[in-house]
mmCIF file of all heavy atoms in Angstrom:
data_model
loop_
_atom_site.group_PDB
_atom_site.id
_atom_site.type_symbol
_atom_site.label_atom_id
_atom_site.label_comp_id
_atom_site.label_asym_id
_atom_site.label_seq_id
_atom_site.Cartn_x
_atom_site.Cartn_y
_atom_site.Cartn_z
ATOM 1 N N VAL A 32 28.828 30.572 -27.159
ATOM 2 C CA VAL A 32 29.498 31.247 -28.289
ATOM 3 C C VAL A 32 29.053 32.708 -28.319
ATOM 4 O O VAL A 32 28.169 33.060 -27.545
ATOM 5 C CB VAL A 32 29.256 30.603 -29.652
ATOM 6 C CG1 VAL A 32 29.792 29.222 -29.697
ATOM 7 C CG2 VAL A 32 27.711 30.550 -29.879
ATOM 8 N N LEU A 103 34.050 18.348 -17.886
ATOM 9 C CA LEU A 103 32.629 17.961 -17.881
ATOM 10 C C LEU A 103 32.448 16.559 -18.493
ATOM 11 O O LEU A 103 33.013 16.285 -19.535
ATOM 12 C CB LEU A 103 31.830 19.023 -18.761
ATOM 13 C CG LEU A 103 30.301 18.724 -18.765
ATOM 14 C CD1 LEU A 103 29.642 19.069 -17.442
ATOM 15 C CD2 LEU A 103 29.666 19.548 -19.922
ATOM 16 N N PRO A 105 29.968 14.184 -20.398
ATOM 17 C CA PRO A 105 28.784 14.414 -21.210
ATOM 18 C C PRO A 105 27.477 13.914 -20.593
ATOM 19 O O PRO A 105 26.388 14.364 -20.884
ATOM 20 C CB PRO A 105 29.078 13.720 -22.525
ATOM 21 C CG PRO A 105 30.236 12.812 -22.195
ATOM 22 C CD PRO A 105 30.998 13.470 -21.145
ATOM 23 N N VAL A 146 47.991 24.154 -47.057
ATOM 24 C CA VAL A 146 47.551 24.714 -45.738
ATOM 25 C C VAL A 146 46.045 24.777 -45.689
ATOM 26 O O VAL A 146 45.446 25.272 -46.616
ATOM 27 C CB VAL A 146 48.164 26.068 -45.490
ATOM 28 C CG1 VAL A 146 47.637 26.684 -44.162
ATOM 29 C CG2 VAL A 146 49.704 26.036 -45.543
ATOM 30 N N ARG A 162 37.971 14.852 -40.769
ATOM 31 C CA ARG A 162 37.183 13.671 -41.303
ATOM 32 C C ARG A 162 37.376 13.569 -42.804
ATOM 33 O O ARG A 162 37.536 12.479 -43.336
ATOM 34 C CB ARG A 162 35.738 13.842 -40.933
ATOM 35 C CG ARG A 162 34.928 12.586 -41.170
ATOM 36 C CD ARG A 162 33.578 12.688 -40.434
ATOM 37 N NE ARG A 162 32.779 11.474 -40.656
ATOM 38 C CZ ARG A 162 32.913 10.363 -39.939
ATOM 39 N NH1 ARG A 162 33.796 10.283 -38.917
ATOM 40 N NH2 ARG A 162 32.177 9.287 -40.152
ATOM 41 N N ALA A 196 33.998 26.178 -44.317
ATOM 42 C CA ALA A 196 33.170 27.262 -43.774
ATOM 43 C C ALA A 196 31.748 26.877 -43.617
ATOM 44 O O ALA A 196 31.209 25.996 -44.334
ATOM 45 C CB ALA A 196 33.253 28.493 -44.699
ATOM 46 N N ARG A 220 22.723 17.279 -49.504
ATOM 47 C CA ARG A 220 23.071 18.568 -50.107
ATOM 48 C C ARG A 220 22.362 19.689 -49.291
ATOM 49 O O ARG A 220 21.350 19.489 -48.706
ATOM 50 C CB ARG A 220 22.563 18.616 -51.598
ATOM 51 C CG ARG A 220 23.373 17.728 -52.485
ATOM 52 C CD ARG A 220 23.207 18.115 -53.946
ATOM 53 N NE ARG A 220 24.004 17.207 -54.822
ATOM 54 C CZ ARG A 220 24.339 17.565 -56.030
ATOM 55 N NH1 ARG A 220 24.014 18.722 -56.534
ATOM 56 N NH2 ARG A 220 25.049 16.688 -56.787
ATOM 57 N N ILE A 256 9.652 17.821 -17.113
ATOM 58 C CA ILE A 256 10.059 19.083 -17.686
ATOM 59 C C ILE A 256 10.892 18.907 -18.935
ATOM 60 O O ILE A 256 10.767 19.652 -19.897
ATOM 61 C CB ILE A 256 11.027 19.799 -16.646
ATOM 62 C CG1 ILE A 256 10.171 20.144 -15.368
ATOM 63 C CG2 ILE A 256 11.546 21.124 -17.212
ATOM 64 C CD1 ILE A 256 8.977 20.977 -15.602
ATOM 65 N N GLU A 263 7.793 21.585 -26.866
ATOM 66 C CA GLU A 263 7.618 22.974 -27.262
ATOM 67 C C GLU A 263 8.681 23.443 -28.165
ATOM 68 O O GLU A 263 8.409 24.118 -29.115
ATOM 69 C CB GLU A 263 7.621 23.814 -25.983
ATOM 70 C CG GLU A 263 6.587 23.314 -24.953
ATOM 71 C CD GLU A 263 5.767 24.439 -24.399
ATOM 72 O OE1 GLU A 263 5.594 25.425 -25.040
ATOM 73 O OE2 GLU A 263 5.280 24.220 -23.219
ATOM 74 N N GLU A 301 32.600 8.054 -32.453
ATOM 75 C CA GLU A 301 33.270 8.343 -33.703
ATOM 76 C C GLU A 301 34.336 9.439 -33.488
ATOM 77 O O GLU A 301 35.446 9.355 -34.063
ATOM 78 C CB GLU A 301 32.261 8.794 -34.783
ATOM 79 C CG GLU A 301 31.315 7.738 -35.277
ATOM 80 C CD GLU A 301 30.224 8.214 -36.166
ATOM 81 O OE1 GLU A 301 30.096 9.440 -36.352
ATOM 82 O OE2 GLU A 301 29.552 7.390 -36.797
#
Side-chain angles (χ1 to χ4, degrees):
V32 293
L103 182 73
V146 176
R162 193 163 179 84
R220 291 197 179 201
I256 298 300
E263 306 226 29
E301 291 176 349

